[in-house]
Amino acid sequence: RWADANGNLRNLPAFAGLGCGLIWALGLRLGSALGLCLAIGLEVGQLWIPSRGFSWEDIWISCAGVVLASAGMGAWAAWKRRRGPS
């Protein structure tokens, strides 16, 4: 229900989660880059699907989700490095 009521905003947590998974699996730089490429590519791909629509707002919100994931995962990695081995 939340996703239906919030339209484009649902892309933010979706792409933040995707970004976290990609960063965890591939590292900060590659995971972030791939997440941004997916955010843009999936939206641009909708230009060729008759029942879907392209939206710049969707791209910005999706990319914001990936950037939030990058910032969070980067901060966590920095904190973990500073803390030292456990």
Side-chain angles (χ1 to χ4, degrees):
R1 292 184 186 188
W2 180 88
D4 292 334
N6 290 289
N8 294 345
L9 192 57
R10 64 183 164 216
N11 288 0
L12 186 77
F15 277 89
L18 175 70
C20 284
L22 289 171
I23 292 165
W24 178 78
L26 303 173
L28 186 62
R29 289 183 185 172
L30 183 58
S32 298
L34 184 57
L36 291 172
C37 288
L38 282 170
I40 294 167
L42 288 172
E43 188 63 30
V44 170
Q46 292 184 36
L47 288 168
W48 292 275
I49 302 173
S51 62
R52 302 291 303 180
F54 173 84
S55 168
W56 282 105
E57 185 180 4
D58 276 353
I59 289 178
W60 290 116
I61 293 172
S62 299
C63 288
V66 175
V67 169
L68 284 173
S70 299
M73 296 289 280
W76 176 74
W79 174 79
K80 195 172 175 186
R81 268 193 310 274
R82 253 184 285 130
R83 203 180 84 178
S86 19

